[in-house]
Amino acid sequence: MLELPVIEVEHYTDKLFRIRTERPRSYRFTAGEFVMIGLEDAPNRAYSITSGPYDDYIEFYSIKVQDGPLTSKLQHVKVGDTIKVGDKPTGTLILANLTLGGHLVMMASGTGIAPFISLLREPETYDLFDNITVTWTTRTHAEQDCYRDFLNEMPIEYISTITQEPAELHGRIQKFMEDGTVTIDNPAEQRIMLCGSMDFNNELKDHFNSLGFSEGNKKTQGTFVQEKAFVG
């Protein structure tokens, strides 16, 4: 584990915050991967990297769990403190595991947006697909504050759905797939990446399997991939 100085901290709600650390010149990762991070007096946990492979910082997006073994302490980190960051990034949400070309759809719930931010900060992502859609389901609008402006500025379609406040699209993304508002049903043309809660991942995995999508991994490229290492 590397001990890296914190250079930026921003809190968005009482449950969400973002941390940036310095990035050693030799630090390498692939967009979409995660690493273990931790503190001296707390256990290590898996976190997706939200920074892009060419950024000069390493960024993480985190929930706050008041009695969480790590996040109860991590949420109080300040600029100048150090955190432990693993030096062996890994994960399944990488483009190498996906059949390239066509329409890429990134589907997130909660902090599951994190690996997709990294992928959208990777210029190559835009060269490998004809078009990109990001769907993000959260309970409140404030839970999308961290990356809303970024997503609106990117050359993508950004579909926000909110479950616990009035919204243009009120409900889970599954609701809008069922009623035809959002069409994600063509394994010949569409490539899907999933990252969210266990229920979110499992429900959508079963749905896409039933439509003829195939899950990709390090051995075989597929038409969808999901992150199994943690839940957002």
Side-chain angles (χ1 to χ4, degrees):
M1 301 283 281
L2 305 172
E3 300 245 349
L4 299 180
V6 174
I7 57 173
E8 194 174 306
V9 181
E10 187 161 358
H11 295 264
Y12 296 93
T13 71
D14 60 351
K15 296 277 196 315
L16 294 165
F17 67 111
R18 177 179 59 81
I19 293 177
R20 284 183 181 177
T21 71
E22 289 184 1
R23 177 180 178 177
R25 285 192 171 187
S26 60
Y27 196 88
R28 298 283 181 269
F29 65 92
T30 298
E33 290 186 322
F34 68 86
V35 293
M36 304 303 289
I37 71 173
L39 295 169
E40 277 305 326
D41 55 349
N44 301 328
R45 292 286 186 266
Y47 272 76
S48 287
I49 300 169
T50 58
S51 43
Y54 302 104
D55 291 332
D56 60 3
Y57 53 84
I58 305 174
E59 183 180 275
F60 302 102
Y61 185 47
S62 180
I63 58 171
K64 306 175 189 178
V65 180
Q66 297 313 317
D67 56 353
L70 176 60
T71 60
S72 61
K73 300 177 175 67
L74 190 66
Q75 64 184 289
H76 299 298
V77 164
K78 295 179 173 56
V79 172
D81 293 345
T82 61
I83 64 173
K84 297 190 292 182
V85 177
D87 57 359
K88 294 180 174 61
T90 188
T92 53
L93 280 181
I94 57 175
L95 298 181
N97 294 348
L98 205 59
T99 303
L100 303 179
H103 177 197
L104 175 61
V105 184
M106 303 174 176
M107 306 186 70
S109 70
T111 55
I113 194 67
F116 301 145
I117 300 301
S118 179
L119 282 156
L120 293 169
R121 286 170 163 165
E122 162 60 270
E124 185 183 30
T125 302
Y126 302 90
D127 297 332
L128 298 175
F129 300 92
D130 299 331
N131 53 312
I132 298 172
T133 296
V134 174
T135 77
W136 191 8
T137 299
T138 57
R139 291 167 299 179
T140 67
H141 291 279
E143 289 174 353
Q144 298 190 18
D145 284 353
C146 184
Y147 296 112
R148 181 185 294 107
D149 289 347
F150 169 78
L151 290 166
N152 279 321
E153 290 164 3
M154 293 296 102
I156 63 169
E157 178 187 26
Y158 166 34
I159 300 173
S160 163
T161 83
I162 305 295
T163 61
Q164 293 184 12
E165 291 178 347
E168 184 177 347
L169 295 179
H170 178 262
R172 302 189 308 158
I173 187 64
Q174 291 92 320
K175 169 185 173 182
F176 302 103
M177 293 164 62
E178 289 167 6
D179 69 15
T181 303
V182 178
T183 305
I184 311 170
D185 60 5
N186 186 350
E189 293 293 332
Q190 293 176 310
R191 313 289 177 250
I192 298 163
M193 307 183 96
L194 304 175
C195 192
S197 69
M198 196 69 72
D199 287 345
F200 176 88
N201 280 17
N202 287 338
E203 185 176 332
L204 288 174
K205 173 187 174 179
D206 291 344
H207 175 73
F208 290 124
N209 275 329
S210 73
L211 293 174
F213 287 84
S214 60
E215 186 169 3
N217 54 47
K218 290 182 179 179
K219 295 180 180 178
T220 309
Q221 290 182 325
T223 46
F224 85 91
V225 292
Q226 62 171 324
E227 186 52 79
K228 301 176 183 176
F230 54 93
V231 295

